[in-house]
């Protein structure tokens, strides 16, 4: 006797749960075969989801095919329920263009403006309409990337409107009913869907020759295995990522590490941008948050440094209110209300309601619909965030974080340096010039150099600076410099290339008679601190016909715990100055070089740049050129004050994400060269010069004398 029990539930398609087949002792073998066949058929019926339902609203679906904003509002209305602001429309337009046509787009929006949600919406829109077939989600870590994928999964599983209009994707997903194991043998009208549903990858179902069949969404952290990513479909086709979402590729820790910033920049420019195939045009969208100046986000958003990313930086508050005194009083009332137990600070809101017209005057807010129930306007909401934590407001909501080291840095800001002009055109020497000094910073790919004209009172005119070989671009970085020494001297070794380049650059610099007086360079220092080419630099300086004015140099990083150069033991032939000495190189037949305290001379240079132009001892740059790249070099380091063995001393450190400080070294080196020519004036840091002769200094010097 055969007993068969069927349980049928057609809530999401037909499926069967058949109880154990029980029978009496079978008498014939064909009865077992029939039972097996029936079990197989029942299993197939259990795994088969049946036919794909028709599209509920074809017109609605067609209307959103080439309109990302309409798609987000129509199908993701629970997320995007407020009206768009102008910044939203601008970002959506660029996301749409990149998803359809390829290219890169990096955008930083205030926290809470939906930058990641918009980027995920663009990915979902692109794959559902088959604009893109392979989406790659990249996060700062594997866990962050998996959270992005989980957001996509949630929409495909639970979004009823998507289920109605995209049944070829969402219906097979909904039939899983949250049970991942069902995906392994899922059938659609007797054919496998080949769907994959894992924590780090989903493959969309293959059904009815739908254009989305076999499309894939994969995720990983930015430091994970990204290179060589491919996917082989069940039809044998190999596809590569064609749309990449890189969501905030840095953490708070990595943003403050120069090494990690460089690593992640290289991964973005190399591994991520190289994900697509040779004939594809990759689309990359990257929502960012600027954590500190010079981090990954700050650099990528700079269209001068990385124009290919088309960086867009938006703010919460584009213009602060004019009457900040009333807002300061508002903040005091709010703080007092909190202290008295008023969690909603109703007294502050009453004050704002009373003076709203005066308090709102002059303010320009990005999104007028962004405010909470207990607030009256978006301006009040923005100012509440400002007074809650000013540093967080500038970083998280304005995308202009304040420099953590600004108070300790004597260097003017980047914008101030860009506007710091002498009034003389490039290459023109001022009247009354005392001497010209030059400095050459040696690197493998190119040399950086600078020429400064000095008056008797140590006022400095930067009359020229450039690289060798000269570049055609206005803005570039050394790691990505277009014209290199390797291009100029092909087939030569490093040492041979450096020697030849120095000889040619010497001829170029020293053959120039700088107008209008026909002045020539009086002293040129060449960086010899790179160990691989130290001997080459010395040989080039000694063998050139301009050897009387060319000298190798070494910038020493003298820490507060070390002795100053002025206190170093004397050797025969030493020539000493303020923070430098000229010494004979042993075993080289009188070859002389300059040693100088790099920290001290960078501080002197920064003080000279801080003086108003027109005062004695100030430094400025020639007119008629955009000095943004030079300003970036000069602000690439910050200084920290520390107590040393000889009193307070400065330590200059590279900012995270600012690898290029070469013209900073050049300008400091030109100041050293001027000092070796006995050009001091009053402005070679009055403060620093006074420290040498204080009573405490004399006591320390006496205490070190051995009797």
């Amino acid at each position: 006797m055969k007993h068969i029990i069927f349980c049928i539930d057609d809530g999401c398609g037909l499926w069967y749960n058949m109880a154990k087949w029980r029978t009496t002792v079978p008498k014939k073998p064909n009865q077992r075969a029939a039972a097996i066949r029936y079990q197989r058929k029942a299993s197939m019926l259990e795994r088969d989801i049946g036919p794909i339902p028709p599209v509920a609203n074809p017109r609605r679906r067609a209307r959103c095919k080439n309109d990302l904003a309409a798609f987000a509002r129509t199908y993701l209305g629970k997320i995007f329920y407020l009206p768009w602001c102008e910044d939203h429309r601008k970002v959506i337009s660029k996301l749409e263009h990149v998803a359809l046509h390829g290219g890169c787009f990096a955008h930083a929006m205030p926290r809470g403006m939906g930058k990641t949600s918009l980027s995920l919406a663009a990915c979902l829109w692109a794959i559902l309409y088959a604009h893109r077939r392979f989406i790659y989600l990249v996060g700062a870590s594997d866990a962050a990337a998996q959270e992005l994928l989980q957001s996509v999964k949630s929409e495909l599983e639970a979004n009823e409107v998507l289920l109605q209009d995209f049944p070829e994707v969402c219906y097979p997903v909904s039939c899983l009913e949250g049970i991942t194991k069902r995906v392994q043998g899922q059938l659609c009208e007797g054919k496998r869907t080949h769907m994959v549903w894992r924590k780090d990858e989903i493959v969309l179902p293959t059904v009815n020759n739908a254009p989305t069949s076999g499309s894939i969404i994969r995720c990983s952290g930015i430091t994970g295995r990204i290179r060589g990513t491919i996917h082989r479909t069940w039809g044998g086709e190999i596809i590569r990522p064609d749309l990449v979402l890189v969501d905030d590729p840095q953490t708070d820790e990595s943003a403050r590490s120069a090494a990690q910033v460089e690593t992640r920049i290289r991964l973005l420019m190399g591994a991520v941008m190289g994900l697509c195939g040779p004939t594809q045009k990759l689309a990359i969208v990257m929502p960012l948050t600027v954590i500190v100046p010079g981090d990954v986000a700050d650099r990528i958003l700079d269209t001068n440094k990385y124009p290919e990313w088309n960086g867009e930086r938006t703010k919460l508050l584009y213009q602060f209110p004019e009457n900040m005194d009333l807002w300061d009083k508002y903040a005091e009332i709010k703080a007092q209300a909190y202290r008295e137990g008023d969690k909603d600070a109703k007294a502050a809101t009453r004050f704002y309601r009373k003076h709203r017209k005066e308090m709102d005057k002059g303010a320009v807010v990005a999104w007028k619909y962004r405010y909470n129930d207990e607030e009256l306007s978006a301006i009040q909401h923005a100012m509440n965030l400002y007074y809650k934590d000013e540093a967080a407001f500038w970083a998280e909501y304005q995308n202009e974080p304040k420099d953590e080291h600004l108070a300790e840095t004597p260097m003017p800001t980047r914008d101030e340096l860009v506007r710091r002009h002498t009034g003389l055109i490039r290459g023109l020497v001022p009247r009354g010039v005392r001497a010209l000094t030059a400095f050459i910073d040696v690197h493998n790919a190119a040399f950086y150099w600078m020429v400064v004209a000095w008056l008797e009172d140590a006022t400095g005119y930067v009359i020229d600076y450039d690289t060798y070989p000269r570049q055609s671009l206005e803005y570039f970085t050394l790691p990505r410099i277009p014209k290199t020494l390797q291009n100029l001297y092909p087939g030569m070794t490093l040492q041979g290339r450096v020697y030849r380049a120095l000889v040619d650059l010497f001829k170029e610099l020293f053959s120039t008679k700088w107008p209008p007086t026909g002045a020539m360079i009086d002293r040129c220092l060449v960086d010899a601190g790179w160990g691989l080419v130290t001997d080459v630099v010395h040989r080039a300086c000694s063998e050139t016909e301009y050897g009387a004015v060319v000298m190798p140099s070494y910038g020493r990083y003298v820490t507060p715990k070390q002795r100053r150069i002025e206190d170093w033991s004397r050797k025969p032939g030493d020539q000493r100055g303020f923070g430098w000495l000229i010494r004979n190189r042993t075993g080289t037949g009188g070859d002389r070089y300059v040693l100088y305290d790099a920290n001290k001379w960078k501080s002197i240079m920064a003080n000279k740049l801080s003086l108003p132009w027109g005062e004695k001892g100030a430094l400025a740059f020639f007119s008629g050129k955009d000095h943004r790249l030079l300003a970036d070099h000069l602000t690439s380091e910050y200084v920290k004050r520390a107590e040393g063995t000889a009193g307070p001393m400065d330590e200059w450190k590279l900012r995270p994400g600012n690898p290029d400080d070469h013209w900073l070294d050049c300008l400091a080196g030109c100041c050293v060269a001027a000092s070796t020519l006995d050009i001091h004036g009053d402005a070679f840091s009055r403060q620093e010069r006074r420290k040498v002769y204080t009573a405490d200094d004399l006591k320390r010097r006496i205490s070190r004398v051995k009797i």
Side-chain angles (χ1 to χ4, degrees):
M1 184 69 180
K2 301 178 181 178
H3 303 278
I4 303 175
I5 302 175
F6 293 96
C7 289
I8 302 176
D9 184 350
D10 57 354
C12 192
L14 183 63
W15 65 276
Y16 294 90
N17 181 12
M18 191 171 68
K20 183 178 178 181
W21 186 277
R22 294 180 300 178
T23 181
T24 57
V25 179
K27 296 181 180 180
K28 297 180 181 180
N30 60 346
Q31 290 180 335
R32 290 198 190 97
I36 292 172
R37 287 194 300 272
Y38 195 86
Q39 284 178 318
R40 288 176 179 172
K41 185 175 181 180
S43 177
M44 290 183 64
L45 289 173
E46 177 185 354
R47 293 185 287 120
D48 201 312
I49 61 175
I52 301 296
V55 177
N57 193 332
R59 178 177 294 181
R60 179 174 60 184
R61 172 170 168 164
R63 178 169 51 87
C64 300
K65 183 176 182 179
N66 295 307
D67 191 338
L68 175 57
F71 174 84
R73 184 76 74 201
T74 302
Y75 295 103
L76 304 173
K78 292 183 179 179
I79 300 174
F80 306 107
Y81 52 88
L82 291 175
W84 306 117
C85 68
E86 187 59 34
D87 286 343
H88 282 130
R89 285 189 282 269
K90 181 165 52 177
V91 168
I92 289 172
S93 176
K94 292 188 176 182
L95 287 171
E96 179 183 290
H97 182 272
V98 168
L100 290 174
H101 306 291
C104 301
F105 176 49
H107 59 103
M109 302 182 74
R111 182 174 294 279
M113 290 276 282
K115 61 180 182 297
T116 300
S117 297
L118 283 172
S119 299
L120 281 172
C123 292
L124 192 60
W125 170 71
I127 202 165
L128 287 176
Y129 283 104
H131 297 315
R132 299 283 164 171
R133 293 198 61 197
F134 192 157
I135 310 292
Y136 205 111
L137 307 178
V138 180
S141 62
D142 287 340
Q146 289 168 15
E147 288 179 9
L148 295 174
L149 186 61
Q150 184 57 47
S151 299
V152 176
K153 285 182 173 182
S154 299
E155 295 297 334
L156 296 179
E157 282 184 302
N159 190 313
E160 292 295 332
V161 189
L162 285 179
L163 175 61
Q164 293 172 14
D165 285 2
F166 297 90
E168 72 276 14
V169 174
C170 298
Y171 180 71
V173 172
S174 64
C175 288
L176 298 178
E177 295 184 324
I179 303 174
T180 307
K181 291 183 178 180
R182 288 182 179 173
V183 76
Q184 297 176 1
Q186 189 183 73
L187 303 175
C188 179
E189 296 183 294
K191 297 180 180 179
R192 289 186 61 186
T193 62
H194 300 296
M195 188 164 57
V196 175
W197 197 262
R198 296 197 295 258
K199 67 177 183 179
D200 60 350
E201 179 183 80
I202 59 177
V203 177
L204 301 189
T206 300
V207 293
N208 298 343
N209 296 318
T212 58
S213 295
S215 296
I216 178 174
I217 306 176
R218 188 176 293 173
C219 71
S220 76
I222 189 169
T223 57
R225 184 182 178 275
I226 296 178
R227 289 182 176 86
T229 300
I230 61 172
H231 173 66
R232 186 184 294 273
T233 67
W234 284 97
E237 181 186 4
I238 293 179
I239 58 175
R240 295 178 180 272
D242 52 9
L243 173 57
V244 182
L245 166 59
V246 185
D247 181 47
D248 268 340
Q250 61 182 354
T251 62
D252 286 351
E253 179 183 357
S254 69
R256 291 174 171 82
S257 168
Q260 292 194 52
V261 167
E262 281 302 307
T263 297
R264 292 173 190 240
I265 288 286
R266 285 197 299 270
L267 286 171
L268 288 172
M269 303 305 297
V272 174
M273 295 188 78
L275 279 171
C276 66
T279 59
Q280 291 177 300
K281 187 173 182 181
L282 183 65
I284 307 178
V285 296
M286 183 158 58
L288 296 166
T289 299
V290 185
I291 299 173
V292 294
D295 64 5
V296 173
D298 195 34
R299 291 176 63 184
I300 290 293
L301 291 168
D302 191 333
T303 54
N304 291 314
K305 294 180 180 178
Y306 297 94
E308 64 270 31
W309 282 97
N310 299 291
E312 187 71 47
R313 196 186 304 233
T314 64
K315 301 178 182 180
L316 180 63
L317 196 62
Y318 281 96
Q319 190 170 317
F320 276 80
E322 294 178 3
N323 197 336
M324 290 299 292
D325 291 338
L326 281 176
W327 280 106
D328 290 339
K329 188 173 181 180
Y330 166 88
E332 293 176 5
I333 295 172
K334 187 173 183 179
Q336 183 61 31
Y338 284 145
R339 284 190 288 267
E340 293 174 356
D342 182 2
K343 295 182 180 180
D344 294 331
K346 296 178 181 177
T349 302
R350 287 195 297 269
F351 178 83
Y352 173 64
R353 182 183 288 109
K354 181 178 179 180
H355 302 280
R356 179 172 177 178
K357 186 175 181 180
E358 305 99 298
M359 294 175 73
D360 286 356
K361 185 179 179 181
V364 178
V365 68
W367 195 13
K368 66 179 182 179
Y369 300 101
R370 176 176 177 159
Y371 58 94
N372 301 325
D373 293 338
E374 66 273 11
E375 296 168 334
L376 302 179
S377 71
I379 297 175
Q380 183 187 9
H381 176 74
M383 296 306 293
N384 283 338
L385 293 171
Y386 172 76
Y387 283 106
K388 182 178 181 180
D389 189 332
E390 183 178 351
F393 177 80
W394 284 104
E396 302 285 346
Y397 300 98
Q398 297 294 93
N399 287 300
E400 292 180 349
K402 295 300 182 182
D403 193 341
E404 297 174 346
H405 310 292
L406 187 61
E408 302 176 351
T409 304
M411 186 72 72
T413 65
R414 180 181 186 268
D415 292 338
E416 290 171 341
L417 290 171
V418 169
R419 297 190 298 267
R420 192 174 176 86
H421 295 157
T422 63
L424 298 178
I425 63 173
R426 185 174 193 166
L428 196 64
V429 173
R431 292 180 180 179
V433 64
R434 164 73 161 75
L436 299 185
T437 63
F439 190 91
I440 301 173
D441 197 21
V442 177
H443 294 277
N444 177 32
F447 298 166
Y448 287 77
W449 60 267
M450 182 177 288
V451 180
V452 181
W454 299 97
L455 303 184
E456 189 65 46
D457 61 4
T459 298
Y461 294 72
V462 177
I463 61 173
D464 204 358
Y465 64 91
D466 213 321
T467 62
Y468 185 82
R470 296 179 185 269
Q471 308 300 315
S472 56
L473 298 178
E474 281 289 328
Y475 202 100
F476 53 87
T477 58
L478 183 59
R480 306 176 66 207
I481 199 164
K483 297 180 181 179
T484 65
L485 294 175
Q486 289 89 333
N487 304 139
L488 195 61
Y489 307 105
M492 298 184 69
T493 64
L494 170 63
Q495 288 74 17
R497 188 166 58 241
V498 169
Y499 180 86
R500 178 71 179 277
L502 282 174
V503 171
D504 292 345
L505 182 55
F506 289 157
K507 290 180 180 179
E508 180 179 325
L509 292 178
F510 290 105
S511 63
T512 302
K513 294 185 178 181
W514 304 87
T517 62
M520 299 183 68
I521 294 173
D522 297 278
R523 173 140 300 169
C524 176
L525 302 184
V526 184
D527 173 31
W530 185 17
L532 292 176
V533 296
T534 295
D535 291 336
V536 174
V537 171
H538 276 267
R539 185 162 63 90
C541 292
S542 63
E543 294 178 358
T544 180
E545 58 182 302
Y546 312 104
V549 294
V550 177
M551 299 182 72
S553 65
Y554 299 85
R556 296 302 189 204
Y557 189 86
V558 181
T559 66
K561 296 183 179 180
Q562 294 175 331
R563 289 188 303 162
R564 298 178 303 176
I565 287 182
E566 295 91 329
D567 300 328
W568 288 8
S569 59
R570 290 183 176 272
K571 291 185 178 181
D574 280 1
Q575 179 184 343
R576 290 177 176 269
F578 181 66
W580 57 265
L581 64 84
I582 299 177
R583 177 167 286 178
N584 291 324
R585 194 180 188 208
T586 58
T588 57
D591 187 12
R592 291 170 68 76
Y593 61 92
V594 178
L595 281 165
Y596 64 93
D597 185 340
N599 282 326
K600 178 174 291 187
W601 278 99
K602 286 176 182 178
S603 293
I604 292 172
M605 173 204 64
N607 289 331
K608 292 171 73 60
L609 287 171
S610 299
L611 290 173
W613 181 242
E615 287 199 15
K616 292 181 179 181
L619 257 175
F621 321 119
F622 59 85
S623 302
K625 177 180 171 61
D626 185 353
H627 295 296
R628 286 177 297 171
L629 181 55
L630 173 62
D632 280 349
H633 280 241
L634 295 178
T635 56
S636 62
E637 296 186 12
Y638 67 95
V639 66
K640 297 193 72 172
R641 199 74 167 161
E643 187 65 32
T645 57
M649 297 180 67
D650 291 342
E651 283 189 280
W652 285 77
K653 299 179 180 294
L654 192 67
R655 298 181 191 275
N658 286 275
D660 287 351
D661 59 352
H662 316 304
W663 279 318
L664 171 67
D665 294 334
C666 287
L667 188 52
C670 286
C671 293
V672 176
S675 183
T676 64
L677 295 174
D678 203 25
I679 300 174
H680 298 293
D682 294 330
F684 266 124
S685 181
R686 300 181 182 91
Q687 180 182 1
E688 292 287 344
R689 292 175 66 84
R690 282 200 302 270
K691 288 194 303 179
V692 177
Y693 303 105
T694 61
D696 290 339
D697 261 355
L698 293 174
K699 290 179 183 179
R700 278 188 288 267
R701 285 170 174 263
I702 293 171
S703 67
R704 289 195 294 270
V705 175
K706 295 182 179 180
I707 301 176

